[in-house]
Amino acid sequence: MRSPQLIVLLLGLSLLPGISPAFVHANPSIVPVKQSSNRDGGQTIKEAEIKAMIQDIETAIKDKNIALILKHYAPFISSQLTIKTDASTEIFELNGITEHKIFLEESYKNIKSIEVLSENWDVDILANNEMAIITRERVVNITNTEGDNYIVASEAVAKVAPIDGKLRIFSIQETAEVGRRPKQ
């Protein structure tokens, strides 16, 4: 594997797969987000929309369908991925669909399999129903195409809102700790 970035890519940009609908809930205690002038006149988020988006992305990841994943990103999506290993800490910033697409394509080339070892999800729909915050903690075993195994523990936060009439992810922040597993 050329870089730990290839491991985190799939994790960070495929943030949503595997979420259980039971974790989706409205949180009235969060302060409402003010509506800006470029919004669609108060379009709100519904739990069913989030569940459908998550299921769609989960299917896209299993099928390595990058176009379907990108369909759920806002044109101006911004991601920050922090990757920690024993040797270094790297921070990657991706802006816009093109950078995300290139990053996904490179990652899929090098990942043979991913096994989810543990996962915890939380989805908070803000009190005004105009934005949702999705948090995921996850530990996975990744095998690259060369047969090397890595354990990746990550925490990610994605922000979702109706944009141009559709529910879109506009921000992802993820921190991942990567450790190489010895060959058996």
Side-chain angles (χ1 to χ4, degrees), residues 163-177:
I163 298 169
D164 297 330
K166 298 194 188 256
L167 193 61
R168 301 272 190 236
I169 301 167
F170 65 90
S171 172
I172 299 171
Q173 290 189 329
E174 181 163 10
T175 300
E177 295 183 27

Side-chain angles (χ1 to χ4, degrees), residues 96-140:
I97 297 289
T98 302
E99 288 183 16
H100 284 80
K101 178 181 179 185
I102 291 167
F103 206 68
L104 278 169
E105 288 170 344
E106 287 299 311
S107 292
Y108 276 130
K109 287 180 189 176
N110 294 295
I111 295 175
K112 181 179 178 182
S113 67
I114 297 176
E115 175 189 8
V116 176
L117 304 175
S118 69
E119 196 167 46
N120 183 40
W121 292 89
D122 187 46
V123 177
D124 289 320
I125 299 174
L126 301 182
N128 62 2
N129 295 327
E130 291 183 356
M131 189 172 108
I133 298 174
I134 301 168
T135 305
R136 185 214 67 221
E137 294 176 354
R138 176 167 147 175
V139 177
V140 297

